[in-house]
Amino acid sequence: MMYSEIYTYCLQKAFFKNHKKVLIAVSGGVDSMNLLHFLHTFKDQFKISIAIAHVNHKQRKASDLEEDYLKSWANQHDIPIFVDYFKGNFSEQRARDFRYQFFKRIMSQGGYTALVTAHHADDQVETVFMRLIRGSLLRHLAGIKEVQPFAGGQLIRPFLHFHKKTLPQPFHFEDSSNLGLDYFRNRVRNFYLKELEKENPKLSESLLALAEESATLFAALADLTNHIDVTDRKTFLEQTDSVQFYLLQNYLAKFDDLFLSRKQVKEVLHILRVKEEGKFFLKNHYELLITPEQFCIRKIRLETEHKEQELLLEYDSDLSYQSYKFTFRSQEAKIASEFSIPIYHLTPIMLRKRQPGDKIDFGTFSKKLRRLFIDEKFSQQERKDAIIGVQENEIIFVIIAGKTYLRKAPERDIMKARLYIEKLRKR
């Protein structure tokens, strides 16, 4: 199948009607490379600008080759690319959580209103079957949604209607770990489904139909109960037990990172029926708040949410951070500034606070910022106010107490721009 059929489908669904800046999750595998080529081909027709978000999980020797290829491809096609590196003990869930937190951060900092992933119909089949095995709630058997709220915008999966075998074969990297049985999804894909298809060759179609029917059922329920104020306790408790169970599930569905099991939903329902008031911790930093008249679920505010904001500075733009104005332009630009520093890449620059383990490369040696600040006798307040500039996942400069420390650039690097820095005057 050529991309034209997918393009027509996307127009019918109006996936990109309300979006201008679109972030594409690209791993380097065949699915995401198809997505990248498709959106690059039709970006003018969709009237969108695109960027790539890639996570190097550092789990395979080819990971760095994939990263280098994507950076080169993005540079050749003049497309922004954002890269991050998985940290910690690897597991499927930790890696997924890391990726989506990274995507959220880039969307927020770069003004992207849509994240697009390459999930297709085969992924939907696997997801529904995995949830069946795990004993998920019926509403979760609806599987993956084509469009859902995400990071203040939308998460869009334009391939979800199409099977993998119908997609082209652009240049891509093969992940040999996908062929094994080490991970649950791999076992479902490479063993369980293949074995069960011997009993029912149309098992995939049956699972997709189950997902569609489940989604339709809950859509119908929402239509029939949209006049009910779910969080009004008197109104809620007047409903039958069965209706309460599904009303509560519909309410819980508003919180996309609160994934309660059947047992946990029943526990919440029990609390609503027997408790007069109080706060009850759920999971993933959510709590249930009950008063005699109302109830609600809300996110618990964490101390880490008070940390200093991180800002992303793209090429040919400027922004203010703390008491400085930063302008990222060509070296020929005539920008009024107190000083400027050479920049060797046109990828975005992250402006942020110091983090544990930060270090800067001075060429012949690297030094942790903690040790640098101690040796230079900066006060605790000065260390707290330090501005760190990061590009290509490396610290390129540090501004602290009016002093600037620069990373030693590799000898073969060619200066492509300058970062002009101006101290803002207090009014």
Side-chain angles (χ1 to χ4, degrees):
M1 178 186 65
M2 301 303 291
Y3 292 145
S4 57
E5 185 177 342
I6 303 176
Y7 171 70
T8 301
Y9 181 77
C10 290
L11 288 182
Q12 292 172 348
K13 302 290 273 189
F15 285 144
F16 303 103
K17 181 179 179 181
N18 298 317
H19 299 288
K20 299 297 183 184
K21 296 183 69 176
V22 172
L23 187 66
I24 310 171
V26 183
S27 66
V30 64
D31 301 337
S32 63
M33 291 305 294
N34 261 302
L35 180 63
L36 177 59
H37 284 287
F38 167 70
L39 288 177
H40 180 255
T41 300
F42 290 100
K43 60 183 174 64
D44 291 337
Q45 290 90 326
F46 287 133
K47 298 179 181 179
I48 58 174
S49 62
I50 61 174
I52 297 170
H54 173 72
V55 173
N56 183 338
H57 292 94
K58 294 289 186 179
Q59 298 300 305
R60 298 176 293 110
K61 292 182 179 179
S63 295
D64 292 338
L65 293 176
E66 293 168 357
E67 178 190 337
D68 291 342
Y69 174 79
L70 289 175
K71 285 181 176 178
S72 175
W73 194 96
N75 185 56
Q76 290 174 14
H77 294 84
D78 196 26
I79 294 173
I81 182 169
F82 307 94
V83 179
D84 204 351
Y85 303 83
F86 177 79
K87 307 171 186 67
N89 296 322
F90 183 86
S91 73
E92 283 184 287
Q93 188 58 46
R94 291 193 191 100
R96 184 189 184 283
D97 291 344
F98 183 90
R99 288 195 301 273
Y100 281 88
Q101 286 301 317
F102 169 58
F103 299 151
K104 285 181 180 180
R105 189 169 71 249
I106 297 304
M107 285 181 68
S108 174
Q109 294 163 351
Y112 296 92
T113 60
L115 170 70
V116 188
T117 67
H119 293 90
H120 45 67
D122 300 292
D123 294 317
Q124 181 76 297
V125 170
E126 293 164 10
T127 297
V128 173
F129 190 66
M130 289 166 70
R131 292 179 180 178
L132 270 173
I133 294 175
R134 287 170 169 157
S136 297
L137 288 161
L138 177 61
R139 73 170 306 111
H140 295 147
L141 298 187
I144 310 169
K145 297 178 180 178
E146 279 190 320
V147 180
Q148 67 186 68
F150 182 78
Q154 290 184 319
L155 171 53
I156 303 172
R157 300 178 175 98
F159 287 0
L160 200 58
H161 181 71
F162 303 93
H163 284 279
K164 183 170 185 171
K165 65 183 179 183
T166 65
L167 298 174
Q169 289 285 317
F171 175 82
H172 63 277
F173 291 86
E174 292 287 354
D175 184 350
S176 59
S177 66
N178 289 334
L179 303 177
L181 301 176
D182 292 340
Y183 302 115
F184 183 31
R185 185 173 289 274
N186 285 358
R187 292 193 293 275
V188 166
R189 176 186 302 143
N190 301 324
F191 180 72
Y192 298 140
L193 286 174
K194 289 182 178 179
E195 287 297 308
L196 290 172
E197 283 171 350
K198 295 176 183 178
E199 300 292 337
N200 177 10
K202 294 187 176 181
L203 177 62
S204 293
E205 287 82 352
S206 298
L207 290 170
L208 289 174
L210 174 62
E212 182 178 359
E213 189 171 339
S214 177
T216 302
L217 172 65
F218 279 91
L221 175 67
D223 290 341
L224 292 170
T225 58
N226 59 13
H227 63 284
I228 296 176
D229 182 357
V230 178
T231 60
D232 182 297
R233 291 194 72 192
K234 183 177 182 297
T235 302
F236 179 79
L237 295 174
E238 285 175 347
Q239 310 305 313
T240 65
D241 290 354
S242 298
V243 173
Q244 287 178 23
F245 183 59
Y246 287 102
L247 281 176
L248 180 58
Q249 285 191 56
N250 271 348
Y251 177 63
L252 290 168
K254 297 179 180 180
F255 309 96
D256 57 1
D257 56 342
L258 177 61
F259 204 80
L260 298 185
S261 67
R262 180 180 290 101
K263 180 181 178 182
Q264 291 166 330
V265 171
K266 289 183 175 180
E267 288 173 352
V268 172
L269 194 55
H270 176 72
I271 291 171
L272 290 173
R273 288 169 177 166
V274 303
K275 299 291 184 181
E276 284 294 321
E277 57 186 328
K279 294 180 182 178
F280 305 88
F281 178 75
L282 299 177
K283 62 187 292 189
N284 295 346
H285 307 296
Y286 279 96
E287 66 180 359
L288 171 66
L289 178 64
I290 298 177
T291 69
E293 296 81 23
Q294 299 280 329
F295 75 88
C296 70
I297 291 172
R298 66 185 184 186
K299 193 89 168 183
I300 301 171
R301 188 170 178 83
L302 304 176
E303 286 300 318
T304 54
E305 293 180 4
H306 296 280
K307 68 182 181 180
E308 188 71 23
Q309 184 181 21
E310 297 175 345
L311 294 180
L312 203 65
L313 176 61
E314 295 191 5
Y315 177 68
D316 203 25
S317 65
D318 59 70
L319 57 79
S320 297
Y321 185 79
Q322 290 191 177
S323 57
Y324 290 89
K325 180 181 179 182
F326 296 87
T327 305
F328 189 7
R329 293 279 198 279
S330 69
Q331 52 186 316
E332 292 83 14
K334 296 180 180 180
I335 306 295
S337 65
E338 296 177 13
F339 63 101
S340 64
I341 61 177
I343 301 295
Y344 300 89
H345 302 278
L346 298 183
T347 50
I349 299 171
M350 174 77 72
L351 302 176
R352 63 166 173 80
K353 292 297 194 128
R354 180 167 63 103
Q355 296 176 358
D358 276 349
K359 62 182 179 180
I360 186 167
D361 184 3
F362 288 122
T364 55
F365 67 98
S366 295
K367 197 165 190 175
K368 287 191 173 183
L369 296 192
R370 178 177 178 275
R371 174 48 55 188
L372 174 66
F373 293 170
I374 291 173
D375 291 347
E376 297 295 322
K377 297 182 172 54
F378 291 114
S379 69
Q380 288 296 329
Q381 187 60 49
E382 289 170 334
R383 299 177 199 183
K384 183 179 178 181
D385 293 338
I387 300 174
I388 314 300
V390 181
Q391 189 182 46
E392 302 273 320
N393 206 46
E394 290 190 18
I395 292 176
I396 59 172
F397 70 85
V398 178
I399 298 176
I400 179 170
K403 294 185 178 181
T404 304
Y405 297 86
L406 301 181
R407 180 196 69 156
K408 174 67 174 178
E411 293 182 0
R412 295 183 180 180
D413 276 11
I414 300 174
M415 185 171 67
K416 295 184 177 179
R418 298 195 74 85
L419 182 64
Y420 301 89
I421 304 172
E422 178 186 1
K423 181 77 172 178
L424 298 176
R425 310 302 178 192
K426 293 183 179 180
R427 294 183 177 180

